[in-house]
């Protein structure tokens, strides 16, 4: 199918959230709150996926085989995570696919990006297209290319404490999760947090992670 090459100055996040949430989070309450069954969740996600697919196709911003397409434009990915592949557009900019399989709901996946951008504007993620990759619903995201070293777990713990007054969340396995009164900051492992020296001081850049509102 014909589609436009993703515009790196595009932004579909607000439009996407508006179409599936409509200003009312209640129908998308998580199963942990006991409001929706898993079946309700699956049905809601199916409907939300269909809504977003129709929207992206209407805008000419739906990419059916996203990773194949990005590889044809930018060559082989240079990094990957459990749900994403990362390609280099140029020295300043990267583009990545991110499937939503790690999230309970499509709304949670989109809100995670929204929270990322709020907390870490220096590494903001822009949704420039939606699509499918390896049969999974996928967002195509553009982000500044940050050069740096992987932060250590100890450095990350100090960083989130100082910046957000967040403490370790031991209810999540892996030792990479933190929380404060407002947010759950998850998957902040060393490969997702880069550090470099600027003017003699350490500067931290969170390039990936899973973020939620702390409602509990």
């Amino acid at each position: 199918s014909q589609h436009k090459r993703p515009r790196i100055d595009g932004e579909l996040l607000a439009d996407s959230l508006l179409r599936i949430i409509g200003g009312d989070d209640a129908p998308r309450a998580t199963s942990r709150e006991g409001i929706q069954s898993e079946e309700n969740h699956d049905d809601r996600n199916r409907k939300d996926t269909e809504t977003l697919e129709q929207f992206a196709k209407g805008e000419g911003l739906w990419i059916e085989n996203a990773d194949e397409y990005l590889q044809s434009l930018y060559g082989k990915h240079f990094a990957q995570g459990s749900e994403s592949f990362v390609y280099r557009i140029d020295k300043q900019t990267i583009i990545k696919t991110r499937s939503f399989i790690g999230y309970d709901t499509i709304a949670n996946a989109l809100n995670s990006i929204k929270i990322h951008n709020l907390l870490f504007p220096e590494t903001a993620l822009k949704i420039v297209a939606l699509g499918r990759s390896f049969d999974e619903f996928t967002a195509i995201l553009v982000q500044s290319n940050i050069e740096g070293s992987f932060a250590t777990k100890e450095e990350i713990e100090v960083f989130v404490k100082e910046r957000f007054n967040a403490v370790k969340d031991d209810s999540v396995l892996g030792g990479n999760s933190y929380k404060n009164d407002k947010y759950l900051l998850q998957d902040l492992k060393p490969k997702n947090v880069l550090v470099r020296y600027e003017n003699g001081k350490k500067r931290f850049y969170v390039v990936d992670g899973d973020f939620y509102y702390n409602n509990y």
Side-chain angles (χ1 to χ4, degrees), residues 4-69:
K4 300 175 191 172
R5 183 178 177 127
R7 285 176 44 216
I8 65 169
D9 60 342
E11 177 53 282
L12 300 181
L13 177 59
D15 279 342
S16 298
L17 277 166
L18 194 64
R19 276 162 176 76
I20 66 166
I21 294 179
D24 176 13
D25 285 333
R28 282 74 174 174
T30 68
S31 54
R32 282 181 291 175
E33 290 173 289
I35 295 169
Q36 286 200 320
S37 69
E38 202 169 315
E39 194 176 324
N40 292 144
H41 260 178
D42 290 345
D43 186 50
R44 180 75 259 163
N45 283 336
R46 240 187 327 272
K47 286 176 180 167
D48 285 347
T49 301
E50 285 168 10
T51 298
L52 291 176
E53 183 172 343
Q54 280 183 334
F55 159 61
K57 282 180 173 173
E59 297 291 313
L61 294 170
W62 177 264
I63 302 175
E64 193 56 49
N65 296 297
D67 277 291
E68 281 180 31
Y69 179 63

Side-chain angles (χ1 to χ4, degrees), residues 14-165:
D15 279 342
S16 298
L17 277 166
L18 194 64
R19 276 162 176 76
I20 66 166
I21 294 179
D24 176 13
D25 285 333
R28 282 74 174 174
T30 68
S31 54
R32 282 181 291 175
E33 290 173 289
I35 295 169
Q36 286 200 320
S37 69
E38 202 169 315
E39 194 176 324
N40 292 144
H41 260 178
D42 290 345
D43 186 50
R44 180 75 259 163
N45 283 336
R46 240 187 327 272
K47 286 176 180 167
D48 285 347
T49 301
E50 285 168 10
T51 298
L52 291 176
E53 183 172 343
Q54 280 183 334
F55 159 61
K57 282 180 173 173
E59 297 291 313
L61 294 170
W62 177 264
I63 302 175
E64 193 56 49
N65 296 297
D67 277 291
E68 281 180 31
Y69 179 63
L70 293 183
Q71 189 165 314
S72 74
L73 290 179
Y74 307 114
K76 189 170 165 54
H77 62 269
F78 72 91
Q80 70 181 85
S82 49
E83 289 113 27
S84 64
F85 290 91
V86 188
Y87 306 83
R88 190 174 274 109
I89 294 179
D90 54 38
K91 228 175 168 181
Q92 284 77 41
T93 316
I94 60 171
I95 189 165
K96 58 174 113 174
T97 55
R98 180 192 280 180
S99 78
F100 289 176
I101 52 175
Y103 295 89
D104 284 352
T105 65
I106 300 295
N108 277 347
L110 292 172
N111 272 323
S112 180
I113 297 168
K114 182 180 176 181
I115 295 167
H116 177 127
N117 294 348
L118 185 69
L119 299 183
F120 310 107
E122 62 276 7
T123 58
L125 293 157
K126 281 197 256 186
I127 300 181
V128 295
L130 297 170
R132 202 170 276 114
S133 195
F134 306 109
D135 291 329
E136 296 292 345
F137 183 70
T138 296
I140 293 87
L141 304 157
V142 161
Q143 187 178 40
S144 293
N145 182 38
I146 305 294
E147 301 286 347
S149 307
F150 294 155
T152 65
K153 280 196 172 194
E154 292 74 21
E155 285 177 321
I156 294 167
E157 193 169 342
V158 171
F159 163 65
V160 295
K161 175 69 177 168
E162 287 179 353
R163 186 153 165 182
F164 302 109
N165 196 30

